[in-house]
Amino acid sequence: MKQQTRVVVIGGGIAGCSTLYHLTQEGWTDVVLVERDELTSGTTWHSAAQVTNFGMTQTMVALKSHSIRLYKELADDPEYPINYHHGDGGIRLAGSQTTMDGYRHFASMAKAMGVEYEILDADECARRHPLITTDGLSGGLWDPMDGDIDPAQLCQALARRARKAGAEVYRNTPVTGLTQHKDDSWTVHTEKGDIDCEIVVNACGYRVNEVGAMMGVHHPVMSMEHQYFLTEPVPEIEALDHRVPLLRCPIDDFYSRQEKNGLLVGFYEQDCRTWGMDGIDPHFVNALCPEDTDRVLPVLENVFKRMPVIEEAGIHSIINGPITYTIDGAPLVGPIPNKRNAFCIIGLRAGLGEGGGHGWLLAQQIVHGEAQYDTWVIDPRRFTTHANVELCALKAIEDYQNEFRFHLPHEHRPAARPMKTTPLTPVLAAEGAEFGVVNGWERVAYFKPRTDFVETHGYHFNETFEVVAAEVEAVQNTVGLTEVNGFNRFEITGPGAMNWLDSMSCSAIKRAAGKVSLTYLLNQAGNIKCEATLATLDDDTIWYGSAAASEFHDKDWLDAHLPTDGSVHIRSLTNDYTILVVAGPRSRELLSAVSREDWSPRAFPWLSVRKAFIGIAPAVVMSVSFSGELAYEIHVPNAQLYAAWLALRQAGESLGLQLFGSQAVESMRLEKGYRHWKADLITEFNPLESNLGRFVKLDKPAFVGKQALESGSHEQRFVSLVLDCTHAPAQPGDSMVSDGRVIGTITSAGWGHRVGKNIAMGFVESAFTTPGSQLQVEVIGQPVNATVVEPCLYDPQYSKPRG
Ligand SMILES: Cc1cc2nc3c(=O)[nH]c(=O)nc-3n(C[C@H](O)[C@H](O)[C@H](O)COP(=O)(O)OP(=O)(O)OC[C@H]3O[C@@H](n4cnc5c(N)ncnc54)[C@H](O)[C@@H]3O)c2cc1C
């Protein structure tokens, strides 16, 4: 066994084998995999091993289609062929038109990644899958590439290729401890000796937290028991001259595929079970959980109705095994939060299908610092301090119970809520707030006009349209008040702070005390890493503000570049403060009514910051505006938040103050052309492509990413569009098309209530970026005419925030 290597991957299931193989593909061959037992002896060996292209974001589609391409190549390798039923095809059924709308949207989204789904009506579903009934069926989505693979052969094939490239695999070698050294390198302690390495990767499946504990990390990953049955041969299948397609059914909570001449049928029962919460037997190896057929009986009854042949089929065997879940259903693949040189590929609940792609994007991150696609949807840092296995267990149960029922736009499910609140949450609830969840925080979406108001979630504009319109109108004409919680906030101090931040950002930073700048931080490839509002409180104290979920991500990036001479310090204030936003033409009057400061434009112009009292509450106030109106962000310590709220609420009465929520903000920021981090600002594009050239100061002597930015190409550009339709907004991921060809992708969209337009934003081929350019956007799968417009549709002179 080697005593020194570059990377040690811990765990020999699909996650570990794929990572090892892809590291060698990225050029790192001095790498090893350490497995406590035999390869695939965790969950992988007994997986149903279905491999689909279906994903709900472009990154997920990209990584799944990578799996399919890779598995096909492995299957066709004459030296070591493996069993892969490639391209049996699969149907995802739908029991409502809303689900069909979702499928139309996902089909449009996948097109830009070169993946074609087909939308089927109910009869066509039954024609392609002759064993199903069409009762209550609205139709389905067809994935022609769907199939299944032999999981053990797949892992052996990946390990074999990795070994051929120079990697080594040590079986029956349990990792017993991890020691990190001052230079951030590691020693991996195993029962067979120590291995020193630069980087460790946790790929330990359901034992994720045994290895996590060895490095002092608690991963928000939970295991659920999951069962499938294998039937005896089914005569109707034997009679067919082709394999039956795979089936996933959100109506009846099951999936099925052909296995030999019978069926494999898996269940997502409501009465489901977490597994291993209080520790896992060390001898649970190549093992299964006890069969529990009673639990799945209610699902089975529905399965019989959907596929009557199953009722007659004998059960050959039952598999019940642990499957890992995370808080939002997507795995954790990338850097381990608050650690250096440590990565994970964990929480895989569809790891056979996705594992090829996850290992690919992880290896790219390890070797190059970033993958070719933005990986935020799988980034382990997307959850922050609130994420733990207790919370994850509740979300895992909810997710399991809704396995094939995707979230609809603006849908926030109830499990594990509230997670994070402020002292104002009950106050806002009493005011009629409807909340959404942002990184665990309960954030007000809008205020319900009646106590019995209920939103119908779907892809069309719904009842909230008029509610949000009224909130926007109040902000535009009088003054509005809202809470923005969870906003990420670092206090950066020290004599070197300003110069260091300047070297981190491609933008001009206003150094003078009392000034605020919007800045962009680039990665080594010159693409957008972070967006930060920098507020200079005094010569040595800067507040760094960024999106609610960005805390661990941004801290990681800043820490990696922090000067070693102790001249800069970073302290998180994220959980200590909350923002109250006042916005609208009368917001200056409101501030003046509760604070003795001079708020005139001369004394406190747009993009200023100062400390002030709001009533009796101390606050840091910034004259910044995401709505485009005259507006102030009031950052208040949580202990005094209610006091500040009361002061504003009471003083606002005579000014016509109204409350508003994040959906109104969303409408207004689209009109202004302002961006959302990780929707419109992603690591696949640089700031010039993102049409943020005004924030780039190329004449600065140096900043992170400068060289790459200067030599970057600009094949796509960010644009704003106005759509010629009033029934529905576009969705992130929808395709832009011209002459039937995909030319771009929508990143965010919605109705602009002040301008009365259906607005969308996204990246499009450079030839279509001139304002006035005509193209089409697929809205719920239907092409809608769209016109490229100037990004700022409301108050382009910025006269309103200047007041
Ligand atoms: C019943 C069932 C059906 C499924 N069906 C599908 C499906 O159809 N399609 C699909 O895509 N996915 C499916 N899945 C999920 C899929 O099987 C998993 O996502 C995948 O196998 C997880 O792989 P992994 O490598 O993350 O974990 P594992 O396979 O559990 O591998 C982890 C490895 O780490 C090793 N390890 C742990 N601790 C240590 C240590 N201290 N030192 C060294 N090694 C260690 C373990 O021994 C193990 O080999 C199914 C799962 C179940 C349970």
Side-chain angles (χ1 to χ4, degrees), residues 60-328:
M60 291 303 281
V61 172
L63 68 89
K64 288 177 187 219
S65 43
H66 175 80
S67 289
I68 289 177
R69 277 193 306 276
L70 171 64
Y71 298 175
K72 181 79 174 76
E73 186 197 318
L74 294 175
D76 292 344
D77 182 348
E79 274 185 37
Y80 189 84
I82 61 177
N83 291 322
Y84 178 26
H85 296 119
H86 171 260
D88 280 355
I91 312 176
R92 225 158 257 270
L93 299 178
S96 73
Q97 281 310 320
T98 303
T99 305
M100 291 300 291
D101 285 348
Y103 290 164
R104 291 185 184 100
H105 154 62
F106 294 130
S108 176
M109 180 269 295
K111 266 203 288 201
M113 310 311 286
V115 169
E116 295 285 342
Y117 308 135
E118 207 180 323
I119 302 298
L120 312 179
D121 63 22
D123 291 339
E124 184 59 19
C125 291
R127 204 188 61 71
R128 295 194 191 189
H129 198 306
L131 306 182
I132 62 168
T133 60
T134 55
D135 301 344
L137 196 61
S138 304
L141 176 135
W142 174 258
D143 169 14
M145 291 298 149
D146 226 326
D148 72 273
I149 195 158
D150 183 311
Q153 287 182 351
L154 169 62
C155 291
Q156 293 296 349
L158 290 167
R160 180 178 166 276
R161 284 203 174 188
R163 277 198 203 96
K164 265 184 134 177
E168 296 191 7
V169 176
Y170 306 129
R171 295 172 295 125
N172 301 307
T173 308
V175 170
T176 53
L178 292 163
T179 304
Q180 188 157 30
H181 306 289
K182 280 207 174 104
D183 64 355
D184 293 331
S185 68
W186 294 88
T187 298
V188 178
H189 308 285
T190 81
E191 283 188 2
K192 294 188 177 166
D194 290 352
I195 310 174
D196 294 327
C197 62
E198 290 169 33
I199 290 169
V200 290
V201 178
N202 183 344
C204 287
Y206 51 74
R207 293 193 189 274
V208 46
N209 273 315
E210 293 177 8
V211 173
M214 295 176 198
M215 58 169 82
V217 172
H218 174 85
H219 293 284
V221 174
M222 189 64 245
S223 296
M224 301 291 298
E225 286 188 26
H226 175 51
Q227 294 184 88
Y228 64 76
F229 293 179
L230 293 165
T231 72
E232 298 290 356
V234 173
E236 288 84 348
I237 291 182
E238 286 174 318
L240 289 173
D241 59 358
H242 60 89
R243 289 175 57 80
V244 287
L246 290 85
L247 204 62
R248 294 176 186 82
C249 185
I251 318 165
D252 304 316
D253 294 324
F254 77 101
Y255 58 85
S256 107
R257 67 166 173 82
Q258 184 167 339
E259 175 68 20
K260 302 202 173 81
N261 278 332
L263 287 165
L264 179 156
V265 190
F267 308 94
Y268 289 101
E269 68 281 7
Q270 294 299 302
D271 180 19
C272 51
R273 299 272 190 282
T274 58
W275 183 85
M277 278 193 84
D278 298 314
I280 300 167
D281 181 346
H283 303 296
F284 190 88
V285 177
N286 260 319
L288 293 173
C289 311
E291 294 168 12
D292 187 353
T293 45
D294 286 354
R295 237 167 55 213
V296 301
L297 285 181
V299 187
L300 198 54
E301 279 173 26
N302 292 334
V303 175
F304 289 159
K305 287 184 199 142
R306 184 66 60 203
M307 286 179 79
V309 293
I310 295 179
E311 199 162 2
E312 302 302 322
I315 292 177
H316 174 274
S317 48
I318 300 173
I319 301 287
N320 185 14
I323 188 166
T324 51
Y325 277 70
T326 65
I327 291 172
D328 64 359

Side-chain angles (χ1 to χ4, degrees), residues 589-648:
E589 280 175 74
L590 178 58
L591 265 195
S592 302
V594 296
S595 162
R596 290 184 296 110
E597 304 290 332
D598 178 357
W599 298 102
S600 67
R602 187 190 42 77
F604 194 67
W606 188 35
L607 301 177
S608 299
V609 57
R610 67 156 58 134
K611 290 182 179 170
F613 284 94
I614 302 299
I616 53 171
V620 171
V621 182
M622 298 180 202
S623 51
V624 293
S625 172
F626 207 41
S627 60
E629 301 294 341
L630 176 67
Y632 301 92
E633 274 186 7
I634 305 169
H635 299 240
V636 189
N638 283 334
Q640 278 121 330
L641 187 64
Y642 184 50
W645 170 269
L646 280 182
L648 291 163

Side-chain angles (χ1 to χ4, degrees), residues 11 13-15 35-36 43-44 46-50 175 205 323 348 350-353:
I14 179 61
E35 162 56 48
R36 81 197 280 275
T43 289
T44 297
H46 59 73
S47 178
Q50 298 158 116
V175 170
I323 188 166
L348 274 64
L352 257 298

